[in-house]
Amino acid sequence: MENSTGNSHGLDAGSAREALDTVATSWARAAVHVTSPWWYHVGMGVTLALLFLSVSLRMGSWAVPLLVGVMILLDLAVRRTTGVSFARYTATPRATMLFGIYAMASVLAVVTGMYLEYGAGVHWAIAGAGLVVGVLTIALGFRVDAIARHDIRAER
């Protein structure tokens, strides 16, 4: 193997610094675009709450597919609006941790609502769980955006 002290690619400290500056600029630009518009998190939360309400109303067989379609359209719309496509809830380690807490709280609410409605006969319990999940989705969605924006700016 040949050991050469010369740079075979023609790179020097100035071009390396320029490349690093370009990467830093890209990170800063991405941090600006990761923030979702207000209607995204509100739309996702309301749609999830309506999905659970439709189950309580025994209309889930036709409403759930429709509402899942609305969620897909919201996701496509936010990607088009922001110009950035990324897994916003798992973009950074702190966002992933917050999403994990959200997921556990949501599962707990859903399981409790299902037990109360189907096991204990409490009407509207699933709709109540949906309200909890919807509010969590809105509140934590904005928080995850802020965390992802901060972490991307910090290049984490």
Side-chain angles (χ1 to χ4, degrees):
M1 184 179 277
E2 185 177 313
N3 187 359
S4 124
T5 58
N7 188 341
S8 64
H9 298 291
L11 296 176
D12 60 1
S15 61
R17 173 81 316 212
E18 185 178 316
L20 288 173
D21 289 344
T22 301
V23 169
T25 301
S26 296
W27 277 95
R29 205 171 320 134
V32 170
H33 292 288
V34 299
T35 302
S36 306
W38 68 269
W39 50 262
Y40 174 72
H41 296 298
V42 172
M44 291 298 266
V46 168
T47 303
L48 277 170
L50 289 173
L51 189 142
F52 285 93
L53 176 63
S54 73
V55 172
S56 274
L57 292 172
R58 311 294 191 258
M59 299 183 329
S61 61
W62 65 268
V64 169
L66 175 71
L67 293 168
V68 168
V70 169
M71 292 170 67
I72 291 169
L73 289 174
L74 281 169
D75 193 52
L76 292 172
V78 77
R79 289 176 189 204
R80 182 172 172 84
T81 301
T82 62
V84 176
S85 175
F86 77 108
R88 92 185 347 90
Y89 295 104
T90 56
T92 66
R94 290 189 324 145
T96 301
M97 184 187 71
L98 187 58
F99 178 69
I101 294 168
Y102 160 79
M104 288 189 298
S106 296
V107 167
L108 180 64
V110 170
V111 168
T112 302
M114 290 178 75
Y115 168 76
L116 288 173
E117 186 146 334
Y118 296 127
V122 177
H123 298 294
W124 304 102
I126 293 177
L131 183 62
V132 170
V133 171
V135 169
L136 281 174
T137 299
I138 294 168
L140 289 177
F142 285 114
R143 185 69 188 132
V144 164
D145 267 359
I147 287 172
R149 186 174 53 254
H150 175 270
D151 288 353
I152 290 171
R153 274 196 190 119
E155 299 179 27
R156 292 183 192 166

